[in-house]
Amino acid sequence: MSDHPKFKSYDVVIIGGAIMGSATAWFLSSNPDFNGRVLVVERDISFADSSTMRTNSCMRQQFSTELNVHISQFAADFVNNFRTHLGDDPRVPELSIKSFGYMYLAGDRAMEQRLRRDQAVQVTAGAATELLSPEDIAARYPFYNLEDVTLGSINTVDEGYWDGAAVFDWLRRKAREGGVEYIENTVTDLDVADGRVTHLHLAAGTRVACGQVVNAAGPRASDVAAMAGIDLPVEPRKRYTWVFRAERPLDRPLPLTIDPSGVHVHDNGGGTYLCGSKGFDDPAVAASDFAMDFSLWEGHVWPALAHRIPQFEAIRVQAEWAGHYAMNTLDQNAIVGPHPDLPNFLFLNGFSGHGLQQAPAMGRGLAEWITYGNYRSIDLSPFSFDRIAANVPLVEHAVI
């Protein structure tokens, strides 16, 4: 992998080569109506610390905004028909979603009302979300302690685990085979003149001319935006993950359960389970900060698990890691498309923890914008930067 571009100018430069950048690159390269030259600049081509590789790789349709439901419905189709979407290439694996479902549990009146509102939105959008009384939940999943639960919400159709790493690997591979150039380098500055980004500066002094620039820098998105003089309300927020083995495994698959405590847990196969949580506090952190808070497990996560599922009183941690949400602090929703005053600077940012599952639709949408000047599949214009500039939130409440 080279660290220097082959050419001095590109029609599109994508800053960030993880799943968002690579989805955009692949949709561009596979579109016969696009014939431009594309460069992807990635600071660490191993992607070891990217949000893409430190994710829990799950998918759901239980969102509070109809647009987000439709985005995940496309993602489900994309994964379930992955080889077909990638041109029936026999090398591409046939994938599917392990649909154990998401189970939201309400522990108070406010959360119960929110689940009811959200379920109405989801059903209108075509999702199969059901509301369950505590008695209904106990009949299907008798292992829960439901003494403090008033309502549940579940959808077992196209909600669960999927192989995000395989999707990312093949999007990147097919983009490169389609002519997209990837380099391992760091963007250090942007030149702006006459209302456009004209050049990118790379480490070691290389300067590259650009037609369009895509900010797909994940938790570092605000740093890239600042190079263009833009204040972007996106910051890294740490999220912790543990894989554990239960001494007494459950007798049926565990839905991805979102507990009122904020802890979530789901079946990982073979008597193991994966759970996650934010910290005791949730401040912005450095994009390079992946340190674990070892007090969090004993002080919050394990007690919450044992309370909700008494069989999880005896468990043993097998692996643990921290990753980052690229949190949009205004409304926890995506920021997509051109800046109103800098139209060749394009956002693909602020996914607030649901970016992996949104990458197929977002990559397709931004590729459409670059090629045609509009969205032709799902209208992503509600996610434009205009609402950020006007301070008019489009709030997504269902953020885990």
Side-chain angles (χ1 to χ4, degrees):
M1 177 70 64
S2 173
D3 60 353
H4 290 286
K6 296 177 182 177
F7 304 99
K8 294 183 178 180
S9 67
Y10 293 82
D11 297 283
V12 179
V13 178
I14 300 173
I15 304 173
I19 196 165
M20 281 293 173
S22 288
T24 305
W26 177 75
F27 275 104
L28 285 171
S29 67
S30 63
N31 186 344
D33 292 335
F34 177 80
N35 58 6
R37 183 184 294 160
V38 180
L39 174 69
V40 176
V41 182
E42 169 55 43
R43 63 185 304 275
D44 177 13
I45 212 67
S46 76
F47 300 99
D49 289 339
S50 67
S51 295
T52 296
M53 300 308 292
R54 289 177 175 260
T55 179
N56 294 347
S57 199
C58 290
M59 182 181 299
R60 61 187 163 100
Q61 296 175 36
Q62 291 185 71
F63 287 95
S64 65
T65 53
E66 187 170 344
L67 179 53
N68 280 331
V69 179
H70 290 314
I71 286 168
S72 284
Q73 287 170 334
F74 174 68
D77 176 79
F78 193 79
V79 172
N80 287 329
N81 299 283
F82 189 53
R83 181 182 290 178
T84 299
H85 279 284
L86 267 65
D88 291 314
D89 185 335
R91 300 173 301 162
V92 175
E94 293 185 338
L95 303 177
S96 62
I97 300 167
K98 185 178 179 181
S99 295
F100 45 63
Y102 274 59
M103 174 74 81
Y104 282 83
L105 298 176
D108 56 38
R109 180 65 174 166
M111 182 62 178
E112 180 180 337
Q113 291 176 334
R114 204 199 84 189
L115 290 183
R116 294 186 186 280
R117 289 194 301 268
D118 291 356
Q119 191 254 4
V121 171
Q122 294 151 19
V123 170
T124 298
T129 309
E130 303 175 76
L131 294 177
L132 302 180
S133 68
E135 293 75 20
D136 295 331
I137 299 171
R140 298 190 194 186
Y141 304 100
F143 45 75
Y144 288 123
N145 168 20
L146 299 170
E147 63 184 13
D148 53 352
V149 170
T150 62
L151 188 71
S153 173
I154 191 168
N155 175 14
T156 57
V157 179
D158 290 333
E159 288 201 350
Y161 172 82
W162 57 292
D163 194 342
V167 171
F168 167 50
D169 179 64
W170 276 99
L171 287 173
R172 182 165 52 107
R173 188 181 306 189
K174 294 288 283 185
R176 293 181 66 185
E177 291 177 359
V180 175
E181 182 184 346
Y182 280 70
I183 63 170
E184 186 174 35
N185 212 313
T186 302
V187 176
T188 59
D189 204 0
L190 301 174
D191 289 342
V192 177
D194 300 323
R196 296 181 66 82
V197 178
T198 61
H199 295 83
L200 297 90
H201 293 259
L202 305 179
T206 307
R207 187 167 179 257
V208 180
C210 54
Q212 305 262 18
V213 179
V214 176
N215 181 357
R220 290 179 166 83
S222 61
D223 296 337
V224 173
M227 297 177 193
I230 299 167
D231 184 15
L232 186 67
V234 174
E235 59 189 32
R237 297 285 186 89
K238 198 182 291 186
R239 293 296 181 268
Y240 301 89
T241 299
W242 298 264
V243 175
F244 64 87
R245 177 171 293 278
E247 183 176 306
R248 293 190 300 135
L250 305 177
D251 64 355
R252 65 201 72 189
L254 173 65
L256 196 155
T257 302
I258 299 94
D259 191 70
S261 66
V263 174
H264 58 90
V265 60
H266 70 77
D267 202 282
N268 199 49
T272 67
Y273 301 87
L274 185 149
C275 71
S277 177
K278 62 182 179 181
F280 292 111
D281 299 311
D282 193 22
V285 299
S288 58
D289 179 3
F290 296 98
M292 291 293 292
D293 178 352
F294 294 106
S295 69
L296 185 60
W297 174 260
E298 294 281 351
H300 177 58
V301 176
W302 187 10
L305 292 172
H307 171 73
R308 187 59 56 210
I309 303 174
Q311 283 178 237
F312 286 171
E313 288 183 358
I315 56 181
R316 182 184 298 273
V317 174
Q318 295 187 317
E320 58 189 3
W321 64 89
H324 293 148
Y325 280 7
M327 184 69 77
N328 174 358
T329 58
L330 177 68
D331 58 17
Q332 296 78 60
N333 247 326
I335 305 168
V336 182
H339 188 276
D341 301 320
L342 203 63
N344 73 329
F345 187 90
L346 306 175
F347 299 98
L348 197 58
N349 307 121
F351 296 97
S352 304
H354 39 273
L356 193 77
Q357 65 186 294
Q358 294 196 329
M362 296 298 182
R364 179 182 65 174
L366 201 62
E368 290 171 349
W369 182 275
I370 292 169
T371 304
Y372 306 112
N374 56 67
Y375 301 115
R376 294 194 167 188
S377 300
I378 298 174
D379 182 9
L380 302 178
S381 59
F383 293 146
S384 75
F385 187 85
D386 292 354
R387 79 182 195 281
I388 308 297
N391 195 31
V392 179
L394 176 66
V395 177
E396 175 53 61
H397 294 286
V399 174
I400 299 172

